[in-house]
Amino acid sequence: MQLLYFAQLIDELLFDFSLDTYKPSAMNSSLLCVEALEVFKEVEDGNIKRPNFQHVLDELCANLKKDSVAWSLLNIDRNSIFPLLLNPKVEFQVKKVAVELLARQLELRLYTERNKQLLVDCVESEDGSANEIRSLTRSYVTCLINLGCSTKFIHEEVLRFFYYGPGTISEKAQIRSFVEMFPSEDKKYVALYSAPEEITALSESLQKRNIKVVADKAGLDPNLQGGAFGLDKGCVYVVLEKIEAKDNYSAQSKVEKEIEIINTLHSLFHHKKPLPAPMRLLLIEQVTGSATNPKKLVNAMHKCSDLTPARAALKLNQLISEFSLARKSFSKFVRSAELHSLALKSESIENQIINLWIALESIIPTKPEEREISNIEHIINSITPFLSLGYVDRLMTRFAHDAINWNRAAVRKALKNIDAPSTALKMAILMSQSPLGERADEFRSLFNNFHLLRDRFDYFRVLLSSPGKIHEALEAHNQRISWQIRRIYRARNLIVHSGKTPSYTEVLIENTHDYLDIVMGTLMKLAVRPKQISSIEQGFLHVELTYHSLMQWLSAKGSEFTPSSLEKLLSKRII
């Protein structure tokens, strides 16, 4: 059971179009220590403000409290480290030294090895719980990504090993073979691609970056000639050497980044005609000589749910015919949409996150002068209600969709005679109402070897057991949102002011894109029939008031779920 659950979980974690909630975390305790020290340096350099350091420490402490990997490595008493890091009276420099101490004992490679061992032990143990496996798996994947493994490579290995390979998921000891598949050291690659012969004019400068332009096969090194593809007329070979990466997809990303740098520098001197994108690409691993034609990686901006063309056309027609905002608000909305479009068109992750951040920041109403809070606090306070109101509905809608994909007939039988406008709401009623408990138990028993779906079913039954549980979940969700928005803001500042791009930037792009889509989608919904708002300011106030009303009801003594109150929580009509 444990190994099968692990296989199902890691497959979902790495699927490009999973909900953000179910994807690997951007950070773990080891990485938060590194981030805290980087933030400290940026504060000292004057690029960001001092409170940012404490926000990272708060997140670090929250992670450490539940991190079994960290406490198996640390030789520090937890009762002494938390007061030091969280006490506002402790000096800035002292906290920095404390984080340096933590960072040394939680160095990423040490942390990864211990994480791997604890994960293996947990999967092999008869007592390994789903919660432990989930926590260790999420952290392990986060480690692999930040050590340089491509998510696509990890996912392909998961599918090959557990689903499409010669073996079956039968022996718990298979987990040992699986975790040993991922390289601890970088491999060396050479990349070969074809480009128009105009690039020959840059040969001299390209050599400075270990890049050679070769006119034909005869000019290639002998070890490249055999696997080299033929050239189209008017094209030349471009050879990139000394590429070090964990796998062919991360090597491909480095190649694409190098090409992007070349094109960017070229555009400084030639504005009208940019260098064309590579026509064909071949990667050769130097030790083995194996050659691959890597598939195009999914752009981080495209890792989101999307409408079918027919549904998109319907929504667009409704928007054009019914969308009603005052001129100033409409111009502001369109500007944000334009920035969103620019991010979609760009292949540069730096351009993507900067445009997304500006789009998000520009659509938020200006902070009133009398509110003595920072701009980032204002952004967090403005966005959080949008992201919280539909949170439970999104989770339940995805669960209902997954359940239908698993067994439509079983879902239909379990939800029979439950009167509700959506499958997600019917499922919530089934899981939350005591009179339906026997039917819910019967439905749960049908999951058999689909351990991930059973685990999620159990989670939602606990979550929907009382409004107070939902309130707790939303409070925790809001805290994670706050930390992540601050991280996005810091990443944007690092890119703009320091020229540094954090290793987890693609994760931040996915999150920022999701946040922007939710805010803009909600405003569009409010501005079409029955047209509840006529300005963006009204939209933000409407959502804020609805959110606070919901949170008050969830936390009120004596509140309990009924089909009608669940409809308010889950229905799209919540706003």
Side-chain angles (χ1 to χ4, degrees), residues 415-432:
L415 303 182
K416 188 177 180 180
N417 298 325
I418 297 178
D419 184 24
S422 71
T423 304
L425 180 54
K426 289 178 182 180
M427 194 70 75
I429 293 171
L430 172 70
M431 288 191 270
S432 66

Side-chain angles (χ1 to χ4, degrees), residues 94-161:
V94 173
K95 290 185 178 183
K96 180 229 181 185
V97 175
V99 176
E100 288 175 336
L101 179 61
L102 290 173
R104 177 162 297 273
Q105 296 185 22
L106 298 179
E107 189 273 328
L108 185 56
R109 290 184 181 275
L110 292 175
Y111 186 96
T112 303
E113 284 303 310
R114 183 58 57 86
N115 194 146
K116 181 166 70 174
Q117 186 57 56
L118 292 180
L119 176 60
V120 168
D121 293 344
C122 191
V123 170
E124 290 186 336
S125 169
E126 292 296 329
D127 301 323
S129 69
N131 283 342
E132 289 177 299
I133 294 173
R134 186 188 318 111
S135 174
L136 290 167
T137 303
R138 287 175 64 89
S139 181
Y140 179 59
V141 173
T142 298
C143 289
L144 290 179
I145 292 169
N146 282 274
L147 285 172
C149 289
S150 161
T151 54
K152 189 171 182 64
F153 168 72
I154 304 170
H155 195 205
E156 284 189 353
E157 292 300 292
V158 168
L159 296 177
R160 184 182 64 80
F161 188 90

Side-chain angles (χ1 to χ4, degrees), residues 20 23-27 145 151 300 484 488 503-512:
D20 288 350
K23 288 186 178 181
S25 303
M27 311 297 287
I145 292 169
T151 54
Q484 197 69 336
I488 294 163
S503 62
Y504 43 82
T505 300
E506 288 202 18
V507 176
L508 302 186
I509 289 169
E510 292 180 48
N511 293 152
T512 316

Side-chain angles (χ1 to χ4, degrees), residues 393-394 397 422 424 525 567 569-575:
D393 182 74
R394 291 180 80 198
T397 298
S422 71
K525 184 177 178 181
E567 184 171 4
L569 176 67
L570 268 77
S571 172
K572 301 292 190 297
R573 293 195 298 261
I574 193 169
I575 57 171

Side-chain angles (χ1 to χ4, degrees), residues 335-553:
R335 177 55 54 84
S336 192
E338 287 173 343
L339 289 162
H340 174 272
S341 180
L342 284 174
L344 275 172
K345 293 174 183 175
S346 177
E347 293 293 328
S348 162
I349 59 174
E350 291 81 6
N351 286 341
Q352 288 172 358
I353 197 166
I354 289 171
N355 282 320
L356 286 173
W357 178 261
I358 299 171
L360 191 61
E361 190 174 17
S362 64
I363 203 168
I364 295 170
T366 306
K367 179 183 67 175
E369 290 183 9
E370 63 272 14
R371 294 183 67 179
E372 295 182 358
I373 60 172
S374 66
N375 190 45
I376 187 62
E377 289 283 354
H378 174 63
I379 291 171
I380 291 168
N381 294 342
S382 300
I383 295 173
T384 298
F386 286 85
L387 306 183
S388 293
L389 277 178
Y391 179 62
V392 178
D393 182 74
R394 291 180 80 198
L395 295 182
M396 284 303 305
T397 298
R398 176 55 63 92
F399 177 80
H401 182 267
D402 291 343
I404 289 170
N405 282 343
W406 158 72
N407 191 327
R408 183 181 294 271
V411 171
R412 189 184 296 117
K413 181 181 177 182
L415 303 182
K416 188 177 180 180
N417 298 325
I418 297 178
D419 184 24
S422 71
T423 304
L425 180 54
K426 289 178 182 180
M427 194 70 75
I429 293 171
L430 172 70
M431 288 191 270
S432 66
Q433 301 300 290
S434 298
L436 296 172
E438 187 174 332
R439 196 197 297 190
D441 290 338
E442 182 182 346
F443 180 60
R444 181 187 183 278
S445 69
L446 299 175
F447 291 133
N448 296 322
N449 285 329
F450 202 161
H451 301 294
L452 181 61
L453 203 60
R454 181 190 296 110
D455 179 53
R456 201 145 287 157
F457 183 82
D458 292 342
Y459 167 76
F460 284 124
R461 287 188 82 173
V462 173
L463 188 67
L464 294 166
S465 62
S466 73
K469 291 286 186 184
I470 297 287
H471 186 271
E472 289 175 15
L474 288 179
E475 287 286 341
H477 175 63
N478 294 347
Q479 180 62 78
R480 292 193 298 271
I481 288 171
S482 174
W483 286 330
Q484 197 69 336
I485 292 174
R486 291 182 190 282
R487 180 166 292 111
I488 294 163
Y489 183 55
R490 290 195 299 270
R492 176 262 178 200
N493 286 347
L494 279 174
I495 291 168
V496 171
H497 299 299
S498 303
K500 300 175 184 175
T501 303
S503 62
Y504 43 82
T505 300
E506 288 202 18
V507 176
L508 302 186
I509 289 169
E510 292 180 48
N511 293 152
T512 316
H513 188 192
D514 192 43
Y515 300 164
L516 180 62
D517 281 358
I518 290 172
V519 171
M520 296 186 74
T522 303
L523 292 173
M524 284 190 284
K525 184 177 178 181
L526 291 170
V528 299
R529 200 165 42 194
K531 299 181 181 178
Q532 301 177 65
I533 63 169
S534 60
S535 71
I536 286 176
E537 289 77 12
Q538 290 175 16
F540 272 82
L541 182 58
H542 179 93
V543 171
E544 181 183 350
L545 294 174
T546 305
Y547 164 72
H548 286 305
S549 174
L550 174 66
M551 293 296 279
Q552 286 175 358
W553 180 81

Side-chain angles (χ1 to χ4, degrees), residues 7-18:
Q8 293 168 356
L9 174 65
I10 197 169
D11 181 21
E12 182 185 55
L13 279 169
L14 293 162
F15 180 55
D16 283 333
F17 304 102
S18 291

